[in-house]
Every structure is written in C-alpha cells, then in structure tokens.
C-alpha cells in the first residue's frame, strides 16, 4: 500500500456501540458511543485529528524558524448541530505557545501555513465547517 493510502479496520466488540479500530500503521484504539474513559466517540476523534494535524505542522514550522518554544498545545472545541446529522458547524482552534522571546509573527505565519497549505485534515474539514483560530 502506498503512503498516499490510509486504511483502517473496525471490529465490533459484540456489545453496545463499542469497536476496536486498527489503523494500517498498526496503531489501535477503541471507539464507543457514548464516549467515556474506555473509548472516544467518532466525532471526538475528528476533533483530535483536527488539532493533531495542525499541531504537528505548527511546531515543526516553529522549530525550523528556530523559535525557542518550551510549551505548546492546541485546544479544540467542535460545535455540533443540534439535529441529526450532528455535524460540526464550527471548529475553534486555540494555540497556546510558551517560550522565551518567541516572535509573534513567526507564530502567526506557522498557523497560517498549517491552515492554508499543509494540514490535510483541516483543509478537508473546512469544505464543510467553519474553522476559527487564535493564539
């Protein structure tokens, strides 16, 4: 399978809406609905994917720009429609960057590059949902 192909296999656990998922990379996780400490809901994982994709881009760009980042996180809030299908209507991304003498222009540019060029998850999602961001 080429690197341009992603795969997953989901197996029902035989009770409720719990599934074990195995990604093509070998990574395993558990889905459950409603979500809880044993498994995430599919929509939670969409929010996680949104944050993880942009987080990887932004921290990579800041490292290449030699910014002295000592802490970094992305907080994601997905606002859902009240009626079915309960799709995300907005996704809010809050970037929290800490370090010494970090150039705010470098942070702005890293976020911009992630959201307009590199982050495939958010570039795909923005076709269906408004994505807001701040840092």
């Amino acid at each position: 399978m080429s690197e341009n192909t992603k795969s997953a296999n989901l197996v029902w656990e035989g009770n409720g809406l719990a599934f074990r998922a195995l990604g093509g990379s070998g990574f395993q996780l558990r889905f459950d609905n409603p979500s809880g400490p044993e498994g995430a809901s599919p929509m939670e994982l969409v929010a996680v994917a949104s944050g993880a994709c942009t987080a990887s881009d932004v921290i990579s760009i800041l490292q290449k720009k030699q910014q002295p980042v000592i802490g970094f996180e992305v907080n994601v809030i997905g606002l859902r429609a009240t009626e079915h299908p309960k799709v995300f209507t907005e996704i809010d991304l809050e970037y929290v960057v800490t370090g010494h003498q970090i150039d705010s222009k470098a942070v702005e540019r890293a976020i911009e590059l992630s959201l307009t060029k590199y982050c495939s998850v958010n570039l795909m999602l923005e076709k269906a949902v408004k994505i807001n961001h701040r840092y």
Side-chain angles (χ1 to χ4, degrees):
M1 195 174 296
S2 80
E3 70 178 50
N4 290 332
T5 303
K6 299 296 180 191
S7 66
N9 171 260
L10 286 90
V11 177
W12 181 50
E13 292 185 344
N15 61 324
L17 298 175
F19 294 84
R20 289 263 172 224
L22 176 64
S25 66
F27 179 76
Q28 292 186 44
L29 57 108
R30 185 173 186 271
F31 287 89
D32 206 348
N33 207 357
S35 58
E38 297 295 316
S41 75
M43 290 302 282
E44 276 182 307
L45 288 174
V46 171
V48 168
S50 170
C53 182
T54 190
S56 297
D57 292 338
V58 172
I59 200 68
S60 175
I61 293 165
L62 291 175
Q63 288 172 338
K64 286 176 185 164
K65 291 180 177 277
Q66 299 181 347
Q67 293 298 301
V69 176
I70 59 170
F72 180 80
E73 50 186 91
V74 179
N75 298 308
V76 182
I77 303 289
L79 306 172
R80 296 181 70 185
T82 57
E83 301 294 323
H84 288 283
K86 295 183 179 182
V87 298
F88 285 133
T89 56
E90 286 188 54
I91 295 174
D92 293 327
L93 301 170
E94 178 190 40
Y95 300 82
V96 181
V97 184
T98 56
H100 304 291
Q101 299 177 338
I102 293 175
D103 181 356
S104 64
K105 296 282 187 212
V107 174
E108 289 173 16
R109 182 68 176 143
I111 293 169
E112 176 190 346
L113 285 170
S114 175
L115 295 178
T116 62
K117 186 174 181 179
Y118 295 117
C119 179
S120 54
V121 173
N122 285 309
L123 287 165
M124 181 178 62
L125 288 173
E126 77 173 6
K127 295 178 188 318
V129 61
K130 182 180 181 194
I131 298 178
N132 307 305
H133 67 278
R134 65 185 179 283
Y135 74 96

